[in-house]
Amino acid sequence: QVQLVESGGGLVQAGGSLRLSCAASGRTFSSYAVGWFRQAPGKEREFVAAISWSVTSTVYADSVKGRFTVSRDNAKNTVYLQMNSLKPEDTAVYYCAAGRYGSTWKYYDYWGQGTQVTVSS
């Protein structure tokens, strides 16, 4: 199966930037779409962004459009989430997942353990 590991989270001040990475092992995931989700304390898991097997197809939640960019490097089995202009409401555990392209968690079969992103005001 596919194993996914997120990295790049941390503490950042509002207005700052972070780049998250999602590295896959076990097999290539070049044929999988990869989605990013996040979960804040007391809130449901929410969709952030996704990228198809083709780097030309991406989709974003309205809350992050214009600030976040998802990309992938299939040769490295890695997907990235560049987060700019971060806001305190972006604070959450961020997860990457591999599966079918879409904006709902039900499309995804493989999940990473998550990485914490904390944005201070």
Side-chain angles (χ1 to χ4, degrees):
Q1 64 177 42
V2 175
Q3 293 89 42
L4 304 174
V5 179
E6 302 93 339
S7 62
L11 175 65
V12 65
Q13 195 166 358
S17 299
L18 285 173
R19 189 176 78 159
L20 305 184
S21 297
C22 174
S25 62
R27 61 171 291 178
T28 179
F29 66 174
S30 60
S31 61
Y32 292 92
V34 172
W36 287 95
F37 296 80
R38 66 188 183 187
Q39 189 165 21
K43 298 187 68 177
E44 297 287 333
R45 186 188 308 170
E46 66 175 334
F47 171 76
V48 176
I51 186 166
S52 72
W53 63 269
S54 168
V55 298
T56 63
S57 298
T58 58
V59 62
Y60 298 90
D62 289 342
S63 60
V64 305
K65 285 181 180 177
R67 299 189 298 121
F68 291 11
T69 302
V70 63
S71 61
R72 72 187 300 162
D73 186 339
N74 288 337
K76 296 181 179 179
N77 282 351
T78 301
V79 171
Y80 305 97
L81 183 68
Q82 179 67 47
M83 306 186 295
N84 298 327
S85 302
L86 283 162
K87 304 174 181 179
E89 52 262 45
D90 295 318
T91 295
V93 176
Y94 283 71
Y95 300 89
C96 67
R100 295 199 297 145
Y101 185 62
S103 59
T104 176
W105 65 268
K106 294 181 178 180
Y107 280 81
Y108 298 91
D109 299 315
Y110 304 100
W111 291 80
Q113 294 298 116
T115 185
Q116 177 70 49
V117 172
T118 302
V119 184
S120 62
S121 59

